[in-house]
């Protein structure tokens, strides 16, 4: 494979524009996670995040989160103008560390759940939810 | 790709699951004009349980022509695997001779020529003959209907599904799941379901408001057959509120709900099920992914994507059976179920050659009774065709080209759009086009033809959106239709790219100019999922066009350039 100058330029532009868009969204997400965790390490897994693969209605998407032994779970919609959705705090009398809600998604994006466990550790799950125009299945 | 030999070896290596497919090569027999019903039905009854699968009948009561797709591209892990193999490659894979009855039934080549020698396929009276023959060999066989049954014809539309309910009740299935049925509107669906003498299943049919399972559609039913407990779990089409108008069934929510499927499998196993069957309207690639992720399903009876496969596909210890559409095939699966597990199977995809299989007289009279009030409407000739009219294929079919041409001319539009649905029989060159033929490819409860302005940018967004529903490499994000058909505009598509980058070179055909993202174009289309869509019914638009032309000719459509296949 040989790269011409034009190819290189095109690749460069593609890379820049790809990098530019998610960064801004990610910064708010990273800030929210850092504020929640205080900068502590977050491990993947141990959190159940139940979301549809494709939203039936982007204005009201059912989301369920839960983690055994969670003290709190923060829910983020990474692609929304304001990513913060909710933080659920589970007191000692809570029967289970799980909650369900409906959220509005501006478009196809990742929904992220961060759980603060009773031992002070943090766990994470994420799911990609597609928001589509639809209309041609058959 | 799993070859036939690999398939058997994998089966033996993986477990005690042993399989065989009774897939006949009838070329010589047909050449001697001696293909018989007995040969089509020939089957050494095996094991202790028989499943009969029909799916995606789309209200086709009478024999029809149905051309299988030429273009059916797979992406990601599905690339180059069945059902994404067509034509000569398909025949080579299964050892089918060119020009044989199997070639006619399963592939697209020389379709109009072969159709004239082998005749029409399907017809519910022939299907009834096959079902009765299987039941005479195994009286307690389970008959399972994968859905898309109460939609797709003039009589089905006029009776709001009653004709199909009457015919299917006469055929007496044991269970059914759903898709297009819901476009009758939820009230009508509930009314019909309440009267069904068989189970209406869907583990993924939920109450929209409470996000809880519904009472009308239980997740499964357990049957006692051949000394075994057989659990049939229903899986309705997951993306109904997205692919079809949500406002027609606002009380219901669907989705893949893989976790609940696993819970249901575990629940029926705990209840003593020896065999777990998933009666699915997921579409083939979704079923394949689900088979690899949900543990404990023995048999998936796959519907929605209209694939007809002469052998089951094996994923782990699960077999996936795909039985075609429009009444063209019936699958028979015999199973040896012992000690709480499936020990082996024998399978046959039975093509319903309507000239070979004798119609069942009882069913024929039921069908005639449904059609009698509408006979003069059905048989009215609207015009003739010089070209083969078909629909199936990822990008365009001649039926849709005709519909798109009609929309542009009758509605004075720059660009037209027709939905990428997979139903709709074919009409041969030189044949009359009757009203029945036209309704077979257009009838639906949201068929109004809109006329609106769209910017070039919005048209691009639509194509990208639909393209991702078809070519997203993760099957769980696919909706199972084909690409939206476009008239008056050409474009290029690279199916390997992500959403937003697949579509390029959009060109207005009448001027040859590039589509301007900022400019508005007049677009005519039909089957909008939006409530309150206004315009004439699509069948009236196309009928007027055909009558004006007298004889229609559809030239080959080369306006879509595909890469990455």
């Amino acid at each position: 494979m040989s790269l011409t100058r034009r190819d290189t330029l095109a690749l460069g532009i593609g890379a820049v524009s790809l990098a530019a868009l998610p960064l801004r969204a990610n910064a708010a997400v990273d800030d929210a996670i850092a504020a929640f965790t205080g900068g502590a390490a977050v491990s993947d897994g141990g959190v159940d995040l139940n979301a549809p693969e494709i939203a039936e209605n982007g204005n009201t998407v059912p989301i369920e989160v839960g983690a055994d032994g969670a003290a709190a779970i923060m829910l983020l919609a990474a692609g929304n103008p304001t990513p913060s959705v909710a933080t659920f705090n589970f007191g000692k009398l809570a029967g289970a560390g799980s909650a369900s809600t409906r959220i509005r998604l501006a478009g196809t994006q990742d929904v992220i759940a961060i759980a603060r466990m009773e031992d002070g550790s943090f766990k994470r799950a994420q799911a990609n939810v597609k928001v589509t125009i639809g209309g041609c299945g058959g | 790709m799993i070859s036939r030999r690999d398939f058997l070896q994998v089966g033996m290596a993986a477990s005690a699951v042993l399989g065989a497919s009774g897939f006949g090569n009838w070329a010589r027999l047909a050449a001697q004009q001696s293909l018989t019903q007995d040969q089509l039905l020939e089957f050494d009854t095996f094991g202790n349980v028989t499943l009969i699968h029909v799916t995606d009948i789309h209200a086709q009561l009478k024999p029809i022509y149905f051309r299988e797709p030429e273009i059916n591209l797979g992406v990601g892990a599905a690339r180059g695997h069945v059902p994404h193999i067509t034509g000569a490659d398909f025949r080579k894979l299964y050892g089918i001779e060119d020009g044989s009855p199997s070639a006619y039934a399963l592939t697209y080549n020389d379709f109009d020529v072969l159709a004239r020698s082998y005749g029409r396929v399907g017809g519910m009276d022939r299907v009834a003959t096959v079902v009765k023959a299987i039941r005479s060999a195994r009286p307690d066989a389970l008959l399972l209907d994968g859905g898309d049954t109460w939609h797709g014809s003039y009589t089905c539309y006029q009776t709001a599904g009653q004709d199909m309910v009457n015919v299917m009740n006469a055929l007496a299935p044991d269970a059914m799941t759903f898709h297009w049925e819901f476009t009758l509107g939820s009230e009508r669906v509930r009314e019909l379901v309440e009267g069904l003498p068989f189970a209406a299943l869907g583990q993924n049919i939920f109450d929209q408001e409470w996000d809880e399972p519904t009472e009308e559609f239980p997740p499964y039913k357990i049957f006692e057959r051949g000394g075994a407990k057989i659990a049939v779990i229903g899986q309705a089409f997951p993306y109904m509120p997205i692919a079809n108008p949500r406002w027609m069934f606002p009380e219901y929510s669907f989705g893949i709900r893989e976790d609940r499927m696993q819970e249901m499998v575990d629940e029926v196993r705990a209840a003593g099920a020896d065999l777990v069957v998933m009666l699915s309207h997921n579409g083939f690639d979704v079923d394949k992914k689900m088979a690899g992720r949900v543990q404990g399903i023995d048999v998936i009876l796959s519907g929605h994507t209209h694939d007809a496969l002469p052998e089951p596909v094996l994923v782990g210890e699960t077999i996936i059976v795909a039985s075609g559409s429009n009444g063209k095939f019936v699958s028979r699966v015999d199973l040896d179920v012992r000690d709480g597990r499936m020990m082996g199977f024998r399978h046959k995809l039975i093509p319903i050659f309507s000239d070979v299989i004798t119609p069942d007289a009882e069913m024929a009279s039921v069908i005639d009774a449904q059609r009698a009030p509408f006979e003069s409407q059905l048989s009215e000739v609207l015009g003739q065709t010089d070209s083969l009219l078909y629909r199936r294929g990822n990008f365009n079919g001649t039926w849709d080209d005709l519909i798109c041409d009609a929309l542009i001319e009758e509605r004075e539009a720059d660009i037209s759009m027709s939905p990428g649905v997979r139903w709709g029989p074919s009409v041969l060159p030189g044949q009359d086009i009757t009203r029945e033929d036209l309704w077979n490819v257009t009838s639906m409860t949201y068929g109004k033809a809109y006329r609106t302005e769209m910017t070039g940018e919005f048209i691009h967004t639509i194509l990208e959106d639909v393209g991702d529903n078809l070519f997203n490499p993760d099957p769980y994000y696919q909706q199972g239709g084909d690409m939206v058909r476009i008239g008056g505009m050409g474009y290029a598509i690279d199916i390997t790219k992500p959403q937003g980058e697949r579509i390029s070179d959009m060109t207005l055909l009448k001027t040859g100019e590039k589509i301007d993202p900022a400019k508005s174009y007049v677009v005519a289309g039909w089957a909008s999922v939006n409530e309150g869509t206004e315009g004439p019914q699509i069948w009236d638009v196309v009928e007027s066009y055909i009558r004006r032309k007298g004889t229609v000719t559809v030239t080959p459509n080369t306006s879509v350039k595909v890469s990455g296949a």
Side-chain angles (χ1 to χ4, degrees):
Chain A
M1 177 183 170
S2 68
L3 280 179
T4 64
R5 184 156 166 267
R6 192 194 294 171
D7 288 336
T8 315
L9 278 176
L11 281 174
I13 293 162
V16 168
S17 61
L18 274 180
L21 279 175
L23 256 186
R24 216 177 305 154
N26 280 341
V29 171
D30 291 345
D31 289 350
I33 294 174
F36 185 66
T37 61
V42 180
S43 60
D44 278 325
V47 181
D48 290 327
L49 173 59
N50 204 345
E53 286 80 5
I54 307 180
E56 294 182 354
N57 178 355
N59 290 323
T60 164
V61 182
I63 305 282
E64 271 177 44
V65 284
D68 285 339
I73 300 178
M74 180 176 68
L75 197 58
L76 299 168
N80 276 1
T82 307
S84 289
V85 174
T87 300
F88 302 102
N89 291 294
F90 305 106
K92 289 210 176 337
L93 295 176
S98 69
S100 63
T101 184
R102 293 185 190 225
I103 66 178
R104 185 176 184 183
L105 297 178
T108 300
Q109 58 182 286
D110 288 331
V111 173
I112 301 168
I114 310 278
R116 187 177 74 237
M117 310 306 285
E118 281 160 352
D119 66 4
S121 67
F122 290 91
K123 293 180 176 178
R124 167 191 175 110
Q126 89 180 44
N128 189 254
V129 180
K130 190 173 155 180
V131 179
T132 165
I133 306 171
C136 287
Chain B
M1 179 187 311
I2 297 181
S3 72
R4 190 177 171 143
R5 187 192 299 168
D6 290 340
F7 173 76
L8 290 174
Q9 285 174 347
V10 168
M12 283 184 272
S15 66
V17 175
L18 264 173
S21 266
F23 177 58
N25 191 337
W26 302 294
R28 221 174 306 120
L29 296 165
Q32 298 161 359
Q33 299 294 311
S34 62
L35 182 63
T36 65
Q37 179 170 319
D38 287 346
Q39 283 150 0
L40 289 177
L41 292 174
E42 189 176 30
F43 197 107
D44 285 333
T45 299
F46 171 83
N48 52 333
V49 172
T50 295
L51 308 177
I52 309 169
H53 184 222
V54 291
T55 192
D56 297 83
I57 293 167
H58 283 286
Q60 296 305 315
L61 296 176
K62 302 292 277 186
I64 42 115
Y65 296 108
F66 192 91
R67 178 190 183 270
E68 298 295 330
E70 175 176 356
I71 309 289
N72 184 8
L73 303 174
V75 287
R79 185 175 175 172
H81 293 273
V82 292
H84 304 286
I85 295 174
T86 61
D89 292 336
F90 186 98
R91 294 195 295 278
K92 195 176 162 206
L93 178 67
Y94 291 107
I96 298 169
E97 277 184 46
D98 291 0
S100 66
S102 299
Y104 167 60
L106 293 162
T107 59
Y108 69 91
N109 312 73
D110 303 320
F111 185 80
D112 51 343
V113 176
L114 296 178
R116 285 173 214 284
S117 29
Y118 295 121
R120 289 180 163 86
V121 294
M124 291 310 292
D125 46 5
R126 276 79 169 177
V127 168
T129 299
V130 170
V131 168
K132 280 187 178 174
I134 298 171
R135 280 178 176 152
S136 74
R138 178 96 73 195
D140 64 353
L142 278 178
L143 172 61
L144 302 169
D145 174 5
D148 276 359
T149 310
W150 311 341
H151 157 268
S153 74
Y154 186 91
T155 54
C156 188
Y157 180 90
Q158 301 297 346
T159 64
Q162 193 65 53
D163 65 332
M164 288 309 294
V165 170
N166 296 346
V167 165
M168 292 308 287
N169 285 355
L171 199 62
D174 294 284
M176 171 185 185
T177 194
F178 302 90
H179 171 194
W180 276 85
E181 287 76 11
F182 277 81
T183 65
L184 293 170
S186 38
E187 213 169 300
R188 177 63 173 156
V189 171
R190 273 194 298 271
E191 183 186 344
L192 290 175
V193 164
E194 273 166 25
L196 290 183
F198 53 85
L201 304 177
Q203 72 87 17
N204 60 337
I205 305 178
F206 270 50
D207 176 274
Q208 200 278 333
E209 193 169 358
W210 298 100
D211 204 28
E212 287 173 349
T214 62
E215 282 179 17
E216 308 92 282
F217 301 97
Y220 59 81
K221 183 170 178 181
I222 297 179
F223 300 88
E224 299 242 8
R225 291 291 193 277
K229 272 188 173 179
I230 298 156
V232 177
I233 306 177
Q235 173 82 348
F237 175 50
Y239 292 129
M240 246 182 275
I242 300 157
N244 305 94
R246 182 171 78 217
W247 60 269
M248 291 182 152
F249 38 89
E251 310 94 310
Y252 297 102
S253 170
F254 300 84
I256 290 177
R257 300 186 191 266
E258 181 189 271
D259 290 350
R260 184 159 200 262
M261 180 59 79
Q262 184 67 65
E263 281 170 32
M264 292 303 103
V265 174
D266 296 345
E267 191 172 307
V268 297
R269 288 283 182 198
D274 300 297
L275 182 83
V276 178
V277 177
M278 174 169 118
L279 178 61
S280 168
H281 207 96
N282 270 336
F284 195 87
D285 291 345
V286 178
D287 281 329
K288 211 170 148 185
K289 178 172 174 181
M290 195 174 246
R293 291 170 58 92
V294 173
Q295 301 306 306
I297 302 173
D298 297 299
V299 181
I300 296 179
L301 301 175
S302 181
H304 182 51
T305 39
H306 293 195
D307 311 293
L309 296 180
E311 293 176 357
V313 166
L314 190 65
V315 176
E317 294 187 16
T318 306
I319 61 167
I320 310 177
V321 174
S323 308
S325 69
N326 288 266
K328 192 174 168 183
F329 300 95
V330 171
S331 286
R332 174 176 179 180
V333 188
D334 278 22
L335 301 156
D336 178 10
V337 182
R338 271 180 286 141
D339 309 326
R341 62 181 304 193
M342 179 171 85
M343 309 297 277
F345 69 88
R346 188 170 288 162
H347 160 273
K348 186 171 185 177
L349 178 74
I350 302 167
I352 309 298
F353 289 113
S354 68
D355 294 341
V356 177
I357 295 169
T358 311
D360 176 72
E362 210 177 316
M363 182 61 91
S365 74
V366 175
I367 292 170
D368 289 346
Q370 312 309 313
R371 291 169 57 89
F374 307 102
E375 204 53 66
S376 65
Q377 298 289 320
L378 290 165
S379 58
E380 191 171 338
V381 175
L382 311 178
Q384 284 76 38
T385 178
D386 272 348
S387 315
L388 172 67
L389 299 178
Y390 65 91
R391 175 169 274 153
R392 279 288 279 121
N394 282 160
F395 298 100
N396 57 269
T398 46
W399 254 127
D400 286 314
D401 291 334
L402 170 65
I403 292 168
C404 284
D405 290 349
L407 281 165
I408 287 179
E409 283 198 21
E410 299 288 317
R411 306 284 285 154
E412 294 176 1
D414 301 318
I415 293 168
S416 55
M417 294 187 180
S418 188
V421 296
R422 295 188 169 193
W423 41 268
S426 313
V427 178
L428 303 185
Q431 276 195 300
D432 289 339
I433 303 172
T434 63
R435 182 171 290 112
E436 175 165 32
D437 294 327
L438 176 58
W439 281 65
N440 278 346
V441 293
T442 54
S443 73
M444 59 162 65
T445 53
Y446 54 105
K448 286 195 173 159
Y450 60 84
R451 184 178 187 277
T452 187
E453 290 201 352
M454 292 183 189
T455 62
E457 187 184 6
F458 189 65
I459 296 168
H460 183 260
T461 302
I462 291 174
L463 293 186
E464 289 284 358
D465 195 84
V466 181
D468 197 61
N469 293 338
L470 183 56
F471 296 118
N472 190 305
D474 183 343
Y476 278 11
Y477 291 88
Q478 296 170 4
Q479 293 172 24
D482 282 314
M483 193 65 186
V484 56
R485 277 69 160 118
I486 304 286
M489 192 190 88
Y491 65 93
I493 178 167
D494 182 342
I495 65 167
T496 61
K497 291 278 191 345
Q499 183 170 358
E501 297 171 36
R502 288 191 182 95
I503 308 292
S504 60
D505 288 338
M506 286 165 43
T507 308
L508 191 65
L509 295 178
K510 70 178 174 190
T511 62
E513 288 167 12
K514 293 281 174 230
I515 296 287
D516 180 348
K519 198 179 154 188
S520 282
Y521 299 87
V522 175
V523 177
W526 63 291
S528 167
V529 296
N530 297 324
E531 191 168 7
T533 299
E534 290 178 6
Q537 295 285 9
I538 185 64
W539 45 85
D540 292 332
V541 174
V542 182
E543 177 170 327
S544 146
Y545 176 83
I546 295 172
R547 284 189 188 281
R548 198 156 51 76
K549 297 282 172 186
T551 299
V552 296
T553 305
V554 183
T555 48
N557 183 342
T558 56
S559 63
V560 182
K561 309 286 181 208
V562 182
S563 58

